[in-house]
Amino acid sequence: MTECDISLKAGATLSAASVLADSAIRCPDRTALIAGPERFTYAVLWHRALRCAAVLRSRGIGTADRVALLLDNTPDFPVAYYGGLALGATVVPVNALLKAEEIAYVLRHSGSRILLCARSLLTEGEPAARASGVELLTVDSALTANAPPVADAAPVPRAPGDTAVVLYTSGTTGRPKGVMITHFNLVMNIDTTMVSPFAMRPDDVLLGCLPLFHTFGQICGMGTCFRAGATLVLTRRFTADGALELMRTEGCTVLMGVPTMYVALLAAAARTRHRPRLDRAYSGGSALPVRVLEEFEAMFGCPVYEGYGLTETSPCVAYNQQAWPRRPGTVGKPIRGVRVEIARADTEHRIELLPPGEVGEIVVRGHNVMAGYLDDPEATAAAIVDGWFRSGDMGVKDADGYLSVVDRKKDMIIRSGYNVSPREVEEALAHHPAVAHAAVIGLPDAVHGQEICAVIVPRHRSLQQEAALAEDIVRWTKQRIAAYKYPRRVEFVDSLPLGPSGKVLKRELVARFTGGPGR
């Protein structure tokens, strides 16, 4: 009997807290977490989570309540996260980069009863809690040091369809939406991806450089690591030089990161002869240029697997995996139990699937699809049609089932009636020897509707040479892609604005170079 079968039976129970609780039973003395000089075994980490659950219970928190977490990458995050889940409450991780007004919106919209806040984040967390009328509880190791754990060491059982976490989208098209991820979503995505693509083993050591409040670091990283009984090495803030040294000294075997991290690690590795002994690396969040993938593999001597996921899909959808040949430039095949197809993008209330080779909207169905958007039935109905989740991403599947992501529907540039994929132009730009990183945006144009603009982070910036380099970049791309696709405008920046998942915030670039709000 599969877990899918179990989930459909009346009275079935399931708790995402079992991800940590089970490993505490199976391998209590194995190191679960490393944070600077601190080392936590699975038994100790789970015991602290139970103490956090006791603190929450003493404040009247129960299974019907939502617990917000404003925490950075410290041991307090997994303690509070699994403590809330162990109590049967719904956990609401909050982006630690938000300001007070933005945090207050999440607290009010989610209906959170209490905010667990790191001392280092009180400057924004305290006024947010006060403005939203939410109880504030400062979190540090002292919070759980002396509290007695809950009497029952087992997690409070929940129905598979109960909401485990509410994750807020980045709000690129308006106010952030609360994505309801069920216990079933969470457990199935972790159990599935732990086996493949991440192939997480008990002797693995994962660098935890992704923010734990984000789905990639939280579920793909922390979740699969703890489920396997492996070791998570937390870094509070990513720096390429620091990450290289930490991976080397702690013996990291696995890296999960976003493309900007891979670019930075390549630059840092060029400054030292020391290399970590990585076994494999995984990229997600946005497109990884093939050039960067190839350079990283050559420099670090390990394969890089690129994949695709969304907050609404718990998050993994597809990945290059060890079970079949990798195809750089694609995001591989769907994970087990998930179906991915390409549908017409111009139909709102029905799904019309397209054959292999045709470009359309990526649609997903399976155990990973969210329960819906919190208190937003209209947005939920628009996103889940005929049982399919509409991703808003444009893609194509080949005859062998490999998925390629073309671009976000809203990022597509229309120049003189031609659709231009920014990712395709970015891929061409990535091979230019002077380009470290590139983002392509569409800017308003009176003649063509939109004009293509390449925003470049050069490898070596020289204001005196920018005009000549811009001309060279235009010639470079003109020789490699169709005439309607190459950028007519080139802008240089020191860095690209990034969201919490490492995605480039193109709306900010549009605003910067038009003087108006980004689209």
Side-chain angles (χ1 to χ4, degrees):
M1 182 181 291
T2 68
E3 288 180 85
C4 292
D5 296 327
I6 294 171
S7 73
L8 299 176
K9 289 188 176 294
T13 60
L14 186 68
S15 173
S18 64
V19 169
L20 179 58
D22 288 354
S23 290
I25 295 172
R26 289 185 293 107
C27 47
D29 299 325
R30 187 172 294 147
T31 301
L33 189 67
I34 297 174
E38 294 184 288
R39 301 289 193 272
F40 299 86
T41 65
Y42 273 97
V44 168
L45 193 64
W46 175 239
H47 197 65
R48 290 202 178 192
L50 291 176
R51 289 182 184 276
C52 183
V55 171
L56 291 171
R57 179 175 288 175
S58 71
R59 283 164 167 76
I61 301 299
T63 57
D65 296 315
R66 297 183 185 125
V67 176
L69 311 182
L70 185 60
L71 303 167
D72 48 12
N73 277 25
T74 68
D76 294 328
F77 189 99
V79 166
Y81 182 86
Y82 287 104
L85 290 174
L87 194 58
T90 297
V91 175
V92 184
V94 181
N95 184 339
L97 303 177
L98 297 183
K99 297 300 183 182
E101 185 176 338
E102 298 168 308
I103 297 167
Y105 170 80
V106 172
L107 296 178
R108 286 192 296 265
H109 184 267
S110 65
S112 293
R113 279 272 313 277
I114 191 170
L115 172 64
L116 303 186
C117 183
R119 289 189 182 276
S120 60
L121 299 173
L122 282 174
T123 301
E124 304 296 340
E126 191 168 21
R130 185 167 57 249
S132 55
V134 171
E135 181 184 355
L136 177 69
L137 184 60
T138 305
V139 176
D140 56 25
S141 57
L143 174 70
T144 58
N146 299 313
V150 289
D152 188 354
V156 173
R158 302 294 284 158
D162 287 342
T163 302
V165 296
V166 176
L167 300 173
Y168 277 79
T169 63
S170 58
T172 56
T173 57
R175 282 287 199 179
K177 293 190 286 287
V179 177
M180 296 186 291
I181 301 297
T182 68
H183 287 267
F184 183 63
N185 289 150
L186 206 52
V187 170
M188 280 299 292
N189 210 277
I190 288 172
D191 277 7
T192 299
T193 59
M194 181 199 71
V195 175
S196 184
F198 301 130
M200 204 69 73
R201 302 180 298 269
D203 59 348
D204 274 321
V205 182
L206 169 68
L207 179 67
C209 57
L210 292 163
L212 295 180
F213 59 73
H214 186 268
T215 183
F216 193 4
Q218 179 189 131
I219 299 174
C220 300
M222 180 178 72
T224 63
C225 186
F226 288 170
R227 181 70 179 86
T231 300
L232 178 65
V233 179
L234 276 184
T235 176
R236 199 161 193 167
R237 176 177 172 270
F238 174 82
T239 64
D241 294 300
L244 277 182
E245 179 62 16
L246 195 58
M247 285 192 288
R248 188 179 68 84
T249 57
E250 297 295 354
C252 290
T253 59
V254 186
L255 170 68
M256 292 184 186
V258 295
T260 49
M261 290 177 175
Y262 285 91
V263 172
L265 286 168
L266 281 173
R271 298 190 291 267
T272 177
R273 60 184 178 83
H274 297 297
R275 298 284 183 272
R277 296 182 179 179
L278 287 172
D279 177 69
R280 58 202 186 279
Y282 299 90
S283 180
S286 59
L288 180 68
V290 174
R291 174 189 64 83
V292 175
L293 181 148
E294 292 172 345
E295 288 184 8
F296 191 93
E297 290 186 342
M299 186 166 285
F300 288 87
C302 73
V304 179
Y305 297 89
E306 187 177 6
Y308 169 71
L310 307 102
T311 303
E312 291 91 339
T313 56
S314 308
C316 283
V317 170
Y319 243 99
N320 280 283
Q321 304 177 40
Q322 294 178 347
W324 48 73
R326 290 177 301 132
R327 291 193 182 175
T330 79
V331 293
K333 297 182 181 182
I335 65 170
R336 181 175 62 86
V338 172
R339 185 181 174 194
V340 181
E341 297 293 347
I342 306 299
R344 285 187 54 180
D346 56 355
T347 59
E348 292 186 8
H349 305 297
R350 66 185 186 281
I351 297 294
E352 293 184 24
L353 300 183
L354 298 173
E358 292 199 29
V359 175
E361 184 176 6
I362 299 170
V363 293
V364 184
R365 71 190 313 166
H367 58 71
N368 58 341
V369 175
M370 65 173 180
Y373 294 113
L374 180 64
D375 294 334
D376 199 339
E378 290 185 5
T380 300
I384 303 178
V385 179
D386 296 338
W388 293 93
F389 170 71
R390 307 192 69 146
S391 69
D393 291 328
M394 302 295 285
V396 60
K397 277 179 69 177
D398 65 20
D400 296 324
Y402 285 83
L403 175 68
S404 296
V405 180
V406 176
D407 251 310
R408 291 288 301 173
K409 279 199 300 185
K410 290 182 171 57
D411 284 343
M412 292 291 285
I413 301 169
I414 304 177
R415 184 184 189 275
S416 298
Y418 289 96
N419 287 346
V420 179
S421 161
R423 181 179 179 181
E424 183 181 1
V425 185
E426 289 161 359
E427 190 66 49
L429 290 166
H431 287 82
H432 191 287
V435 173
H437 205 179
V440 172
I441 56 175
L443 299 178
D445 184 85
V447 176
H448 303 288
Q450 284 184 298
E451 191 52 272
I452 301 163
C453 174
V455 184
I456 304 294
V457 178
R459 290 185 184 273
H460 306 287
R461 189 167 189 186
S462 170
L463 296 176
Q464 293 77 16
Q465 298 175 3
E466 282 189 358
L469 180 56
E471 291 179 3
D472 185 64
I473 286 172
V474 170
R475 282 195 300 270
W476 171 276
T477 50
K478 188 176 181 180
Q479 293 169 357
R480 287 163 173 78
I481 54 179
Y484 66 90
K485 298 178 182 178
Y486 75 85
R488 270 67 171 180
R489 179 173 170 182
V490 177
E491 300 285 349
F492 294 98
V493 295
D494 292 323
S495 62
L496 297 172
L498 304 176
S501 66
K503 290 183 181 179
V504 176
L505 300 177
K506 293 189 174 182
R507 67 187 184 278
E508 291 190 12
L509 293 176
V510 172
R512 176 173 175 178
F513 294 113
T514 61
R519 58 184 174 83

